[in-house]
Amino acid sequence: MKKTMHRSLASASVIAVAATLAAATAAWAQPAPKTTRAALEGHWTLVSIVNEKDGVKSDSRLGANPLGLFIYDRSGRYSVQIYTQGLAPIAANDRYKGTAEEYKAIMHGSLSHFGTYTVDEKAGTFTLRPVAGNYPNWVGKDQPRKFAVSGDELKILNPSSSGDPTSKSYLTLKRAK
């Protein structure tokens, strides 16, 4: 009986050690977040935007599931397009003949800009410098962002949202394939 009990305890100990080693190995196998230019480069699709103001988090004004494409190329150029899902079409079927309400809905339901970017790998930030966009207040002004890339996921912290400069925006993107 003692030998059987001793073997059971020894087996349980071996299994526990093996499980611990497996968990540690799996943790080490996860890629560490990167803040390098090479990690940022590429095409990214938007997963979510969460705003935070005074410690309270909420969906962005673009809705719970906005659509977006972010492109950061090797030459230091970028392009960002974000849209509310289900924007209503312009009734006149002519983009120059929309109503004030239609134009307001389109403006509130989109954010688009392009320009150049630089990366500060030590600080874990990149800085956008928009050349043009549908929010002209940003054009020509540096827009710093914190970021981290882990595998095919990009997380961005915008410390000053375009919809409310006193709120932060947390964006999650996945690498487009």
Side-chain angles (χ1 to χ4, degrees), residues 59-79:
D59 288 333
S60 80
R61 292 182 180 183
L62 295 168
N65 298 300
L67 301 172
L69 178 65
F70 293 51
I71 301 169
Y72 303 97
D73 75 14
R74 288 185 182 146
S75 71
R77 289 175 171 47
Y78 82 93
S79 180

Side-chain angles (χ1 to χ4, degrees), residues 44-127:
W44 301 88
T45 57
L46 186 61
V47 174
S48 67
I49 303 175
V50 174
N51 286 349
E52 180 180 1
K53 183 173 180 161
D54 301 326
V56 177
K57 292 185 178 182
S58 62
D59 288 333
S60 80
R61 292 182 180 183
L62 295 168
N65 298 300
L67 301 172
L69 178 65
F70 293 51
I71 301 169
Y72 303 97
D73 75 14
R74 288 185 182 146
S75 71
R77 289 175 171 47
Y78 82 93
S79 180
V80 169
Q81 300 86 43
I82 308 171
Y83 299 94
T84 297
Q85 285 199 42
L87 282 174
I90 294 174
N93 200 28
D94 180 333
R95 72 186 192 109
Y96 297 104
K97 294 181 181 175
T99 66
E101 293 81 21
E102 289 170 330
Y103 290 140
K104 183 178 179 180
I106 291 167
M107 186 62 188
H108 285 204
S110 63
L111 179 61
S112 180
H113 51 96
F114 68 92
T116 60
Y117 75 98
T118 56
V119 175
D120 182 338
E121 295 182 5
K122 288 183 182 178
T125 63
F126 66 92
T127 301

